[in-house]
Structure formats: structure tokens, C-alpha cells
Amino acid sequence: MIKFDYRNADLSVIGAENGLDLAQEFENYKSQISEIILDLNKRKDKRGQGLQWMNLGYSEETAWYVKEYASLVENRFDNIIVLGIGGSALGGLAVTNALLHPYWNLLSKEQRNGYPRIFFLDNIDPDSISSLLNMLDLKKTLINVITKSGDTAETMAQYMIVKDILEKELGDDYRKNIVATTDKNSGILRQISEQEGYKTFVVPDDVGGRFSVFSAVGLLPFALVGIDIDELTSGIKDMDLALKNTDIHQNIAGQNALIQYLMDTKKGKNISVMMPYSNKLQYVADWYVQLMAESLGKVNSQLENVGPTPLKALGATDQHSLMQLCNEGPNDKIINFIRVEEFENKLEIPEIFQYTGIGYLGGKSINSLLNAEADSTKASLIDYKRPSVTITLPKIDGYHIGQLLYMFEIQIAIEGALYGIDAYNQPGVEQARNYIYALMGRAGYEESAKSIHEKIGLTSVV
Ligand code: PA5
């Protein structure tokens, strides 16, 4: 199992001004945390609660269907392009980046065991989209368009561009190169898919985008590139079992939720830095940032604006960038380290120089250097009386990635309950979404367009 160490958030280590009396706080919040965990597990099967993501690790049906499709199209495609944004892209990006070879798309087909390359657009940048489409042989490219709502402007614009080019290049056969992941019944993409006859997968009800990584949203791309889905789901299930424990002393998601919450609300540490010491986990930090920001940045029932500000960092790279700010800037952050015990590769630093300044590195592994950097950063944070917590992964494999992501999802669900907000909606994003429709000339949004023009002083419509 992954491990969680919270000692460096305790007042015994960093002092009473910045640290929490964790033994006392665990006692104070024991029954509230226990009630939250019980409540989540009670409500998870009910409709309209937004908690179906808690059941995804057990969905053998979805796993079966994505595996079946992946085996049907095996060897037909050299590339997959995933179209989507936010929760429809970041989970896929995080897991593939963690579990595939770091330079997967540069490997030959043989080196990839026949599996395709994979690209996530996750944006509407004209340069990157054009360059990618010009570079790939579209006949050998499978497009997985993912949108739960079915009308997200960014995703549907990506799709419309790609569909048009595919149709021109492939003729009627282009439909075989598109697979859609969307709501079961509603939304424009569902309508189009039925008219066009695309193969489709479902984003289940009550699973919001940022909690959808273990639905077909993530599982389909994972199966297509040969990631072992059963390994992932067995990690999720083991973590789910562990996190059903209602005793905060035994529940690492409950512990981290409480620590993040109290650091923000009692100690003024309203910035939560996610800092993995592994390039393979850097998109896990991106995914965590979105999960935390969209879930917790809300207006609560007392009309207060609440929520911590997540910030991503990468060890050791950011020791030469953000760490100065973390140590000597405002004491408003809690650092979440992710440390890996055993990397896939071991790289020795050769003993080729005797200079005192670098000679000590010779004969050591770069693995131990990376972990020593994590430990030294932790130690320096203690000197500056800055709180941190550490999550340790025995190794980066499907089992532990399943555990890690699911643990964060439960942590955010518990934090949402502590803040007294709805962690599963995103009204602040919907507002800007409606403004996009207005600015881009969608029928019915004319008045809104006028008011935006006045508000921000725009003189012409796009
Ligand atoms: O987490 C969320 O709900 C959002 O980030 C969505 O995933 C994002 O807005 C994309 O929405 P959709 O899947 O409807 O295209």
C-alpha cells in the first residue's frame, strides 16, 4: 500500500504557530470524519449524489467492454488522439504518463509491442492541433472524442476540425476511426454518434469529469495502449477497502483531508503544493490541481468564498525555482511530497572526477540523489517552520497509481464535506462557458454577448 506521513505538519516538529496539534485535532474531528466517511459510503449508490465514481473500480462491465474493443482494433491503428478538456483529458494524461515508457511516442511500433502512440489535445491551440494532424497518418489514427456534456466548445471544435479532415481523407470509412465517450442519453455528441454510427462508450451518471478517470473516459485509452486495467482496478479496490475504515487514525484520505483543511482554515496555509519527485507523476500533479480547484473552490452556505489554492511543482526541478518561495516567501503553503521508493531504472553516477565539489556523487545512484533531494527539501522546510506531508509509493505501477488517484478523490470528497460545499458542481466554470457561447455567436445568447461587450470593452465579435 502507499504510505502517508504527516509528522512534519505537527506542532512538535514545526512549532505551534505553524503546526497543528494533530493528536488533539484527530480527537476533535474523530466523529465528524467518521460520519463523513459513513455518509459517503451510504450515498454512493444513490442517484443524484455525484458519487458514482466511488463504484468505478468495481465496474467489471466497463472493463470488459473497453478490453473487448481494444482487442477488436488491435494492430489497426498507429496513433490515438484523445479529444477533450479538463476532466475529460487530465486523468488519461496523468495515468498514461505514469505508466507508459516516458518516451512512448518516440518508440518504434515493435518497441511499443504493436500498441499505438497516444496524444491528448487538452486545449484548442491552433499550432499544436495543426502540427499534430499534419504529422500523423490519419488513416492509421483512432480519434477518441470525450465529453460528458456533449457540447463543450473546446472539445467539439477539436472534433469538428478532425472529423472534417478525416472525412476528406478517408471518405465514408472515416467513421471507423472515431469512438465517442459521452453521456448515455443526452448531449449533442450522443446525437451525432447515433446519426453517424460511431462506436460509443458511456460516462456514467453521477460521475463528474474530474472524477471520471476510472470510467471509460480513462479506461478506454488505457486499454488501447496496453495498460493493465485489472492492475489499476485492484489498486482502487484495495484502497477503497482501506478508506472505508471510519477511524481517522487508520484512514489516510481522512487524515490528509483534515490536515489540508485545518492548515487552510486555522493556520493560513491556503496554498496546497503538490510536488512529486518523479517526472512520471508530473501530470498527476496537474490532475490533482484540477480536482482540488474545481471541487473545493466554492461559495459555502454562509456565502463565504472558500477553498485552498492548489499549486503544482516537480522535484527536484522546482528546488531551483519554487522552493525559494516555499522556504522564505509568505508562510502560506503546505507542501505535499510524493516520493517513489523503487524506480524502474537504477542509474549509477560514475566515479570519474575527484573534485571535492562533485567527487562525492561518484559511485552513488541518481535514484538516491533524487530521494536525498526530497529529504533535504523536507528538512529545510522544517528549519523554516513550513508544514509538509509525504506520500510514498513503493513503485510506479498500475496497482499503486490506482491507489494514489483514488485516495486523492476520497480526500477531496472528505475535504468538500469539511468545507460544507458541493464538491461535484462547478458553477464558476459554467458562467464562463455561457460567455463563450455568447461571444462565439450561439443562438439565444445575443443579450449576454452585448453585456459582455460592454463589460470588457470589446468592440467586435469574433
Ligand atoms: O471536472 C469537470 O467536470 C470539468 O473539468 C469537465 O471535465 C470539463 O469541463 C469538460 O467537460 P465535458 O466532459 O462535459 O466536455
Side-chain angles (χ1 to χ4, degrees), residues 85-88 147-149 152 155 208-210 290 294 426 433:
I85 198 160
S88 290
T147 162
K148 182 178 167 71
S149 61
T152 299
T155 306
R210 54 193 175 276
Q290 194 233 355
E294 267 195 4
Q426 51 282 326
R433 207 174 155 120

Side-chain angles (χ1 to χ4, degrees), residues 9 17-30 32-33 248 254-270 308 334 387 415 418-419:
E17 195 182 328
N18 298 294
L20 295 164
D21 184 348
L22 284 172
Q24 187 58 54
E25 298 293 10
F26 282 6
E27 217 35 52
N28 298 346
Y29 281 86
K30 203 174 149 174
Q32 191 179 348
I33 294 284
I248 186 165
Q255 291 166 1
N256 204 21
L258 183 63
I259 292 169
Q260 305 289 321
Y261 169 72
L262 291 177
M263 279 295 175
D264 174 22
T265 55
K266 269 183 114 166
K267 297 287 172 187
K269 322 289 181 214
N270 62 328
I334 169 160
E415 256 179 280
L418 288 168
Y419 279 105

Side-chain angles (χ1 to χ4, degrees), residues 85-88 90 209-210 285-295 310:
I85 198 160
S88 290
L90 284 169
R210 54 193 175 276
D286 283 73
W287 173 85
Y288 175 84
V289 164
Q290 194 233 355
L291 184 71
M292 179 174 261
E294 267 195 4
S295 303

